[in-house]
Amino acid sequence: MADEHDAREILKPLVFRLHENVPAIVREVLLERGWTEFDKKEQDDTDWNLYWRNSPFRMTDYCSIKPWQRLNHYPEAVRITRKDYLARHLKRMKGAYGSALYEFSPVAFIMPNDYVRFMAEYSKEKQSLGRRPSYWICKPVDLSRGRGILIFQDIKDFVYDCTVIVQKYISNPLLISGYKLDLRLYVCVTSFCPLTIYTYEEGLVRFATEKFDLSSLDNVYSHLTNTSINKYGASYKKYKEGIGCGCKWTFSKFRSYLRIYGVDDLLLWKKINNIVMLTLLAVTPLPAASNCFELFGFDILIDDKFKPWLLEVNYNPALRLDCSIDATVKRKLLHDIVELLNYKQIDALRQNQVAGTKAGRTHVPLSTPGESALEEASDLLTCQGEAECTATSSVQSALQAAKGSIHKVVTQTKKTARGHPRKTLTSQLRERMNMPKTSSQAKAETKSKQLPGAVYYPHQFVQPSRWLPTPEFWNCKLTTLPYFLSDKDQKPIPRVGDFVLTFPFNEAALQASRDGIDVKSIIQEINKLVNKDSEIDLVI
Ligand code: ADP
């Protein structure tokens, strides 16, 4: 009788909880995987596994987290995603560790505070003979989607009416068939303490939809690569030579393109990964919090010398589906995120007495750690690696009892389921962009696909001998074993789907990040990588 009860408990699907305005695709993917949606009226307040919001959580949400739960934001992640905060952090790092390493972010000034410094720089440039004055881009610090952006060369055209960041405009971007592009790179941080970073190998290349032209700085369709802008451009739907219709490519297509022209895309990828690590190091340490993750959208611009530049880091990178490329990339991205969250069968119980013990928590993995393939929802509740299951005997017998009927249940679940403000470049688009977002698009294929071409590892991951959380780690008020460590060896899983572990990248980096974070030693390690990479010439 007791066994039957436990078996029924085991059959509980994982439960997601969505706050308002979460893109429809998040719900769709979780339902596809056999999850059910949290029902406030029917369910206990803690009876969920994943809470996804577009806005930050309250501190109480972090304090009351249960071992079977995950939150999609890390406390204070905004330190990196607000343009002025990021600029300050990067400037500090430049000062501390040298501008050579941190020269990947364009020179920036925060207005109005840095007005005098900016004017000094501007005047110095103007007075240096034989040098063409720089172009500048002015962006409101807390807006996104290209809103309120202004590009100028002459100071008389520079006006602002809120806190803005003025960045050197990269006026020699890499162009494909005359069109500017940038990369939307997805980065998932599963922990800031110890720092654990995954970079997504697939991503989006976003094109401007009119040819790059420095003589028309007011043309948003030529200078900005935001989809939220370009989808309203007259050329968006038209076939554009060398680009195609729309305004997006996948990373896979871009890498193939680079290889055709003899560009070392692997070296470019390594440089981009260094940018990611150095940027995240700039905001560490963040307050310790367990069972969180943060999906960041890094915007990277590549110039005509193949140097990658960091433009900004986005909180809640857009998960809207504007085209079939979005659907392919973002759907798989979400599936891979759920895999990365490493839910165990025991998490479906959502019970303290089983899953809530601190050091003694052991799990039956829902998927084999490190497995790269995206699994079908039915695999979610398939009891894999049963030999590893060391939970209480009642749970074990319940698992046995339930095993035969799990597949059936999952299949069923799957079926249901300064002065005067001037008109900026984008002000005319604001109204349209503030319109409600479109509902979810047509379903894209859900099965895992190996990307065409080579598999890229940013750095050879040197397997650390053993990584067990230290006493200091526990002092971070963590309540559970970190979910991102593999059950087999207690090390971060090197690869999950298209997510590749970027940090820690070797034993030394691992050691320097486990007992608190020794940024200086980590930077030394990164310097070694950079020096090694710079020995290789990047040529077309
Ligand atoms: P937002 O948060 O409003 O999207 P971004 O910083 O991402 O602001 O800038 C929007 C777009 O403007 C980028 O996608 C890129 O095309 C262009 N851009 C931004 N900064 C620069 C820069 N420093 N140099 C060249 N282009 C830039």
Side-chain angles (χ1 to χ4, degrees):
M1 196 62 188
D3 276 1
E4 265 173 37
H5 174 75
D6 288 339
R8 273 200 305 278
E9 286 288 285
I10 289 290
L11 293 179
K12 277 177 162 183
L14 292 160
V15 173
F16 62 91
R17 187 172 175 175
L18 303 184
H19 196 242
E20 58 205 26
N21 300 329
V22 171
I25 190 180
V26 177
R27 176 179 283 110
E28 282 172 25
V29 165
L30 290 162
L31 290 174
E32 268 170 27
R33 298 182 69 91
W35 289 51
T36 59
E37 186 158 5
F38 178 73
D39 183 342
K40 216 174 174 173
K41 290 187 202 117
E42 294 288 320
Q43 284 168 279
D44 183 84
D45 220 33
T46 59
D47 198 14
W48 50 269
N49 298 92
L50 170 64
Y51 193 172
W52 193 291
R53 307 176 55 112
N54 281 353
S55 49
F57 289 97
R58 297 160 306 171
M59 226 38 223
T60 52
D61 294 321
Y62 295 108
C63 295
S64 58
I65 191 89
K66 302 290 178 205
W68 56 86
Q69 298 176 331
R70 317 269 191 271
L71 303 175
N72 75 318
H73 291 300
Y74 214 87
E76 295 191 34
V78 70
R79 276 195 212 173
I80 195 178
T81 56
R82 229 181 87 146
K83 296 176 177 71
D84 51 341
Y85 295 172
L86 177 63
R88 278 200 196 101
H89 282 298
L90 293 178
K91 193 176 160 206
R92 180 177 50 77
M93 295 298 272
K94 250 182 210 172
Y97 299 105
S99 51
L101 202 57
Y102 273 89
E103 58 159 10
F104 57 79
S105 74
V107 171
F109 299 91
I110 298 156
M111 299 291 172
N113 286 4
D114 292 341
Y115 185 76
V116 175
R117 283 199 322 109
F118 171 64
M119 284 310 294
E121 174 76 20
Y122 177 83
S123 310
K124 196 173 90 190
E125 272 196 7
K126 211 167 178 191
Q127 281 156 17
S128 54
L129 289 173
R131 202 176 140 188
R132 210 165 41 108
S134 297
Y135 293 87
W136 298 90
I137 184 165
C138 162
K139 310 184 256 189
V141 294
D142 53 0
L143 286 187
S144 58
R145 293 184 275 147
R147 289 171 294 178
I149 288 182
L150 167 76
I151 301 169
F152 64 95
Q153 190 176 30
D154 193 321
I155 196 77
K156 73 174 166 29
D157 295 324
F158 174 43
V159 284
Y160 58 97
D161 57 359
C162 58
T163 308
V164 293
I165 179 169
V166 179
Q167 244 180 18
K168 210 158 239 190
Y169 187 63
I170 310 298
S171 55
N172 61 329
L174 172 69
L175 303 177
I176 294 186
S177 299
Y179 296 94
K180 177 176 171 177
L181 57 112
D182 75 359
L183 310 183
R184 164 56 56 86
L185 175 77
Y186 298 103
V187 172
C188 193
V189 177
T190 51
S191 163
F192 276 92
C193 171
L195 187 60
T196 313
I197 308 171
Y198 287 87
T199 309
Y200 204 59
E201 284 192 330
E202 188 53 289
L204 296 169
V205 178
R206 310 176 308 169
F207 287 94
T209 47
E210 289 183 19
K211 295 206 174 187
F212 188 70
D213 180 2
L214 283 170
S215 66
S216 63
L217 295 179
D218 272 355
N219 185 355
V220 286
Y221 305 114
S222 160
H223 290 279
L224 307 188
T225 51
N226 304 76
T227 311
S228 46
I229 289 176
N230 282 287
K231 68 183 179 186
Y232 295 113
S235 313
Y236 177 68
K237 287 193 177 140
K238 291 188 190 145
Y239 179 82
K240 295 170 281 300
E241 207 188 330
I243 304 295
C245 296
C247 66
K248 277 180 189 158
W249 280 9
T250 59
F251 278 9
S252 315
K253 183 167 176 175
F254 180 58
R255 288 195 295 246
S256 305
Y257 174 92
L258 293 179
R259 268 181 258 137
I260 288 169
Y261 288 92
V263 178
D264 185 347
D265 57 318
L266 182 54
L267 182 59
L268 181 65
W269 183 245
K270 283 179 181 176
K271 288 183 182 178
I272 290 172
N273 273 300
N274 289 342
I275 291 179
V276 169
M277 285 188 282
L278 290 166
T279 305
L280 288 164
L281 279 173
V283 294
T284 55
L286 287 186
S290 61
N291 286 26
C292 308
F293 66 99
E294 190 76 51
L295 178 70
F296 292 111
F298 277 61
D299 288 351
I300 307 278
L301 186 114
I302 299 163
D303 70 17
D304 58 5
K305 309 230 167 13
F306 295 96
K307 174 182 161 59
W309 294 86
L310 176 71
L311 300 184
E312 69 154 346
V313 181
N314 290 277
Y315 189 76
N316 284 325
L319 292 173
R320 208 177 38 236
L321 306 185
D322 285 317
C323 60
S324 60
I325 293 170
D326 270 350
T328 309
V329 172
K330 294 176 184 177
R331 193 174 288 279
K332 168 119 170 60
L333 170 76
L334 281 163
H335 275 287
D336 286 349
I337 288 174
V338 182
E339 288 289 324
L340 194 57
L341 298 181
N342 203 15
Y343 284 96
K344 321 287 179 181
Q345 190 143 18
I346 210 162
D347 290 320
L349 288 173
R350 298 185 288 282
Q351 281 173 13
N352 267 324
Q353 66 270 25
V354 178
T357 50
K358 194 169 156 182
R361 185 184 181 208
T362 43
H363 305 287
V364 182
L366 290 170
S367 58
T368 307
E371 218 169 48
S372 66
L374 175 69
E375 292 174 11
E376 289 290 341
S378 58
D379 289 339
L380 259 178
L381 291 177
T382 305
C383 185
Q384 295 180 1
E386 253 174 275
E388 292 173 37
C389 178
T390 52
T392 59
S393 58
S394 67
V395 174
Q396 272 181 326
S397 52
L399 278 169
Q400 282 300 334
K403 203 177 163 190
S405 49
I406 283 172
H407 184 79
K408 205 168 133 197
V409 170
V410 173
T411 314
Q412 280 164 359
T413 318
K414 272 170 80 181
K415 281 183 190 152
T416 56
R418 143 179 98 138
H420 55 95
R422 194 189 91 169
K423 240 184 179 333
T424 64
L425 287 178
T426 53
S427 56
Q428 74 273 27
L429 285 156
R430 271 185 201 155
E431 212 173 298
R432 268 191 292 177
M433 291 196 306
N434 286 332
M435 287 187 324
K437 289 171 192 157
T438 54
S439 63
S440 108
Q441 315 288 309
K443 283 195 174 184
E445 56 185 317
T446 57
K447 289 209 167 131
S448 168
K449 263 202 237 153
Q450 191 63 40
L451 293 175
V455 175
Y456 301 92
Y457 285 93
H459 306 294
Q460 195 65 44
F461 180 72
V462 179
Q463 294 284 338
S465 52
R466 184 153 182 87
W467 185 17
L468 286 168
T470 58
E472 288 77 10
F473 186 83
W474 297 121
N475 290 341
C476 291
K477 293 198 185 78
L478 298 181
T479 55
T480 61
L481 276 171
Y483 68 83
F484 50 87
L485 299 182
S486 99
D487 294 299
K488 280 187 187 147
D489 53 15
Q490 302 286 297
K491 291 186 284 197
I493 302 165
R495 185 187 183 99
V496 177
D498 284 342
F499 277 110
V500 177
L501 184 70
T502 310
F503 189 91
F505 53 88
N506 66 14
E507 181 68 32
L510 172 70
Q511 294 301 334
S513 64
R514 55 192 284 187
D515 303 335
I517 187 145
D518 177 357
V519 176
K520 198 171 165 194
S521 302
I522 294 171
I523 297 274
Q524 275 169 5
E525 286 304 309
I526 296 177
N527 250 323
K528 285 183 203 163
L529 287 177
V530 171
N531 292 337
K532 217 163 87 191
D533 290 345
S534 61
E535 285 164 15
I536 307 163
D537 278 335
L538 190 63
V539 285
I540 295 183

